[in-house]
Every structure is written in C-alpha cells, then in structure tokens.
Amino acid sequence: MTLLQLDKVGHAFLGRTVLERIDLGISAGELVALVGPSGSGKSTLAHIAAGLVEPRMGRVNRRYRRHAVIFQEPRLLPWKRTADNIGLGLAGQRVGGDARRRKLHAVASRVALEYGDLEKFPAQLSGGMRQRAAIARALIAEPDFIFFDEPFSALDVALKRRMQDIVVDTVAHSGLSGLFITHDLSEAVRIAHRILVLDRNGRGIAGSRIVPSRPGERDDRFVFETSVEFLAGDRLFAHVNDCDERSLP
Amino acid sequence: MATARLARTGRFVWSGWAGLAGLSVFAAVWQAGHEAYGSFILPAPAETFASVVALLAEPESWRIVWATAGRALLGFGIAAGIGTMAGTLAGYHPAIMRLARPQITLMLGVPPIAWIVLLMIWFGNGVGTVSATAAVACLPIVFIAAAEGIATRDRGLDDMARAAGLGPIRRLLRIGMRQMLHTLFPALVMALGTAFKASIMAELLANAGGVGEELAVARANLDVSLALAWILLSVTALITVEYGLLQPLRAEIETWREAARPWGVRR
Ligand SMILES: Nc1ncnc2c1ncn2[C@@H]1O[C@H](COP(=O)(O)OP(=O)(O)O)[C@@H](O)[C@H]1O
Ligand SMILES: [Mg+2]
C-alpha cells in the first residue's frame, strides 16, 4: 500500500521555481532516501509532503495514520526543559501522567539522553544532544511515517551511526515508513531501501535506485563499496556531491 | 525548582543593598542641594521623609494613593489588553501592521496635554479622563512591542508545533505569544511607569482628586516639602507594583534565560 504519494508537485518561492513535476510514492514499511545537492529543494519537498507548505501545483496524498517531522535544525522550545520539549511530540494525542513519563524515559534512553539531561533547558545541551532530543520528540508519538530532513548532519560520526541504527531498527521492528532526506550518499546507502535522486534544479526526480540487500544487514564495507560504485559508475549520481548552490536567475 | 525560586528571591533581596547604596548617594546629593539653596526651595531629605511619615499616618492619604494607583492600573490594564491583542494581530498580518503604523505615529505624536484636553471634553473631570489618558499614553508602547515580538518570532517553531499536532489556538498561545513576552515585558514595565505619570498629570490638570490634585494644592500653598512627599509616595507605589507584580512574573517566565547564562555571569 502506498502511504505517501506526490503527483506532479511543483512549487515556487516569490516567482522563482524551486520544484517542478515531482512524482514519488512510498509504500508501507519502506524507507526512501532522497538525495540531491544543497539548494536543490529537498527541504521544500519534505515540507510540502508533510503538509507544512502548500504546493503551488500538484497533489499530495497521505494514507498513514500519524506522521512526525525531524527538521534540519533541532527546533526545540528554548523556554521548556528537555523533557517537556520531547513531550511536545505527544501534543496530538491524549497521553497523561504515568504513561507519558514511561514513554518519555523509554524514548530518551533510546536516543542516549540521560536522566539529568531531561531537566535541562536546550541552551544547556550540546548541539548533538539537542538534535537527539528532537529525534526523541518525533519518536515518542509512535508515528507510522517520519520525515527526516538531514537530521544527522550536525552529529559526530559515532553518534550519527548510532542514530542511523535507531532509524533502521525502528523501520525493521515497527514497520515504520519514511522519507529520509540527506546529501550524504553513504548514509542513504546504509539505511534506505531505495534511493531517489532529485534533479539538480528541482526539475523532477532524476531517477531511482534500489539498494541491494536490506537495511540492518549492510556492513561498512558494503556501504563504502556501494557508494563508490554509485558515485563513480552511475551517471544518476553525478551531481549529488556538487556543492555550489544553484545560481539565481 | 522551588529552591531555584528561593535562590532567585535571595539574590533579588541581596541586590536590594546595591539599590540602597544608590539611594544613599541620591539622598546625599539632595542634602547638598538643600544646604546650598535652603528649605524653601529644597527641603532636606529628612524633613521630606518626616512629611511622608506624617502623610502615611493619615488613612486619607492612603486612600488618595490607592485612588491614583487604581486609575493608573485601570488605564494600564486597558492598554495592555488592547495593545497586546492588536499587536499580536498586526504581528501576524503585515497588512494590518501597515494600516496601524500611521495611527501609532499619530498617537505618539499628539502631546499628552492635548489628549487630556480632548478627554476632559469627552469624559468630564473624573476617573474616565484620568484612566483614558493613562491608556492612551501606554497603548502605542504595548502595541509596538507586541507586534515586534510576534513579527520576530522563530517561524521554524511554528512549523515544528504544527507537525507535532498542535492546533492553531495552542500554537498562538504556547508558541507565538510565548515568544512575544520577550519584547512585551520591558514594554509593560515602561508602560506602567507611563501610566502613573500620565494619571498624576491628568489628575492635576483636571482637578480629578488623587495624588495629582494634592500636588496642585501643595503648589498653591508653596509647600515644597508636601509636594516632594507626594512625589515620593507615588514613586513608591509604582515601584511596589513593578517589583511586586511585574518583575516576579518576568523572572518566572524567563527562568530558562537564567539557566542559559554561562557560569559566573549572574546579575
Ligand atoms: N521560505 C523561502 N523563501 C524563499 N526561498 C526559499 C525559501 N525556502 C527555500 N528557498 C529557496 O529554495 C531553494 C531550495 O531550498 P531548500 O529546499 O532548503 O534546499 P535543500 O534543502 O535541498 O538544501 C533554495 O534556493 C532556497 O534559497
Ligand atoms: Mg535542506
């Protein structure tokens, strides 16, 4: 079953076209990575898909129960303690008292936040801890679909792996689906079932590749070799590592 | 959390010593002025203090101070309510802001004395005129701060809250207006002072009772020490409201800023 379907979606900011003719579908239990160079419109696409931005053209069909969004920045409320920030993920549901506290502690330990950290304000956390709190805020709602917008770019290598493992784990065990946006091809190869490449200028999806074997069964060697193979041998990935923002018209 | 509050209160009381030191310097300069110009122009601080004590002994003076404070607070409350609501609206909608700008410039540009004349014609000599003068004087300050607070909010938090499932009302109250407090609070403190000043001026000019009228009487009798005593009393009332009500509220809301400050950097 397709949980998320985008049909001919297009968008423009102040008359400048950012996205055009985007078609994509994500089925249940599938984690799809979307890669593309910086400034190609990945975040805009994620926001449209999550219903935070109304697209100028096209339609978005959502058939999942509940979604969560992990943004590029942590977006924590600076005046609330970490525990309350994570609890905000439950805003759409009625969960009170004990159940809430249990969920909170379970999800905090999953993202390796310690008990003492929960009492701190975001300003008292390190950058990585803030992003982990944001991830916990998404996971606590037990969504069946998650939008990830380059959530791990700010984390160090060890933590990044740990977080990727959590994502892979959640997908494998709770049948979660998601759209995982990244500019890091090896991250995409590591965790996704399928990789979509956004056109360098946002003019449609340039192509799609299925990653062999399953997430969670891939070791470092496989990830490294597959990424190198994609980058060197597949024309589809030729622009993924371009670092120049597209020039203004 | 309770201990944090206690520590905060302790720090606040301790900072009272610094305030007291500042007041002593002020009293010394005052005393010097008194010795240079004599009692008729500038009575000694001790003399004035004695007049204050004498005033406080009479229940009537309490009633007068309360009357002025009540009128000032009524005007302040009206301005705070309307200003916050209108400012919030203008903060969310730039078109409304553009419409409101000229009105604000107008309100700020008309001298308070002109307002008093107009309001005396409209409301007569009474509570209405005094409170309305205070409200008119405060309104632009509160409005601008509220609009600014909303307009400069972190829009990313709005999107985050929407994605987390918060409805529009909860987003407005818990995300938008919460961020607004940062600019609104200093404006409220300033508006409160303005309300007191405007009320006393209106009372004086409209003969509407309260501290203002007592000042007018003191002036008529050339009783400088009585005039100074009334001024001291009204300033004390203002400080009581500010430090008894507004600042604790602010401290409660801004705990996180305190926490965010690096170690050793405490006021
Ligand atoms: N709110 C906005 N207003 C105007 N332009 C925007 C806005 N958000 C993004 N853009 C523009 O859209 C393009 C795509 O941005 P974005 O989706 O953030 O790219 P990516 O996430 O792939 O780096 C960029 O050129 C950016 O300048
Ligand atoms: Mg982005």
Side-chain angles (χ1 to χ4, degrees), chain A residues 97-165:
Chain A
D98 253 7
R100 190 188 180 87
R101 210 163 314 121
R102 249 195 329 270
K103 274 175 188 255
L104 189 72
H105 287 153
V107 85
S109 71
R110 261 183 93 183
V111 298
L113 280 174
E114 282 164 23
Y115 197 77
D117 299 333
L118 294 180
E119 283 305 304
K120 291 181 180 160
F121 287 103
Q124 296 168 299
L125 301 178
S126 74
M129 282 152 101
R130 278 177 222 161
Q131 193 61 10
R132 278 183 277 155
I135 293 164
R137 182 179 59 202
L139 293 180
I140 199 173
E142 291 170 11
D144 46 359
F145 199 101
I146 300 192
F147 295 94
F148 300 86
D149 186 4
E150 305 191 33
F152 306 146
S153 325
L155 303 184
D156 63 64
V157 178
L159 257 174
K160 194 184 232 180
R161 293 194 54 143
R162 177 151 188 188
M163 293 300 123
Q164 289 169 354
D165 289 342

Side-chain angles (χ1 to χ4, degrees), chain A:
Chain A
M1 189 176 76
T2 315
L3 292 190
L4 178 75
Q5 179 78 50
L6 268 64
D7 283 321
K8 301 197 177 53
V9 165
H11 196 68
F13 282 117
L14 307 169
R16 192 164 67 90
T17 305
V18 174
L19 291 170
E20 226 178 280
R21 298 189 315 276
I22 304 288
D23 293 301
L24 68 86
I26 297 176
S27 349
E30 191 184 27
L31 186 64
V32 175
L34 180 75
V35 297
S38 167
S40 56
K42 302 185 298 295
S43 292
T44 309
L45 179 55
H47 291 181
I48 289 174
L52 297 175
V53 172
E54 202 51 44
R56 290 288 169 83
M57 277 162 286
R59 311 174 19 85
V60 180
N61 248 313
R62 304 182 190 90
R63 296 198 197 87
Y64 47 75
R65 212 163 29 89
R66 183 185 303 136
H67 73 216
V69 183
I70 302 175
F71 295 92
Q72 207 161 352
E73 326 79 35
R75 301 202 183 180
L76 300 173
L77 305 179
W79 59 87
K80 282 208 184 286
R81 288 167 201 279
T82 308
D84 298 327
N85 262 299
I86 296 174
L88 198 74
L90 293 172
Q93 311 163 46
R94 289 204 182 282
V95 185
D98 253 7
R100 190 188 180 87
R101 210 163 314 121
R102 249 195 329 270
K103 274 175 188 255
L104 189 72
H105 287 153
V107 85
S109 71
R110 261 183 93 183
V111 298
L113 280 174
E114 282 164 23
Y115 197 77
D117 299 333
L118 294 180
E119 283 305 304
K120 291 181 180 160
F121 287 103
Q124 296 168 299
L125 301 178
S126 74
M129 282 152 101
R130 278 177 222 161
Q131 193 61 10
R132 278 183 277 155
I135 293 164
R137 182 179 59 202
L139 293 180
I140 199 173
E142 291 170 11
D144 46 359
F145 199 101
I146 300 192
F147 295 94
F148 300 86
D149 186 4
E150 305 191 33
F152 306 146
S153 325
L155 303 184
D156 63 64
V157 178
L159 257 174
K160 194 184 232 180
R161 293 194 54 143
R162 177 151 188 188
M163 293 300 123
Q164 289 169 354
D165 289 342
I166 290 174
V167 171
V168 168
D169 230 48
T170 322
V171 172
H173 291 118
S174 28
L176 186 95
S177 326
L179 178 64
F180 194 107
I181 287 169
T182 177
H183 62 254
D184 178 359
L185 189 57
S186 58
E187 183 173 55
V189 167
R190 194 152 185 256
I191 64 172
H193 295 97
R194 189 153 60 92
I195 300 180
L196 298 178
V197 181
L198 187 62
D199 175 79
R200 182 158 56 128
N201 295 311
R203 308 281 188 272
I205 300 288
S208 157
R209 294 287 179 272
I210 293 190
V211 187
S213 92
R214 294 200 320 196
E217 295 169 359
R218 301 168 185 152
D219 56 12
D220 287 349
R221 206 186 138 116
F222 173 89
V223 170
F224 178 74
E225 282 173 359
T226 313
S227 332
V228 168
E229 197 184 300
F230 276 162
L231 277 175
D234 199 330
R235 282 187 53 81
L236 181 59
F237 294 96
H239 295 295
V240 167
N241 278 352
D242 284 2
C243 59
D244 50 331
E245 295 263 331
R246 59 174 131 163
S247 48
L248 289 158

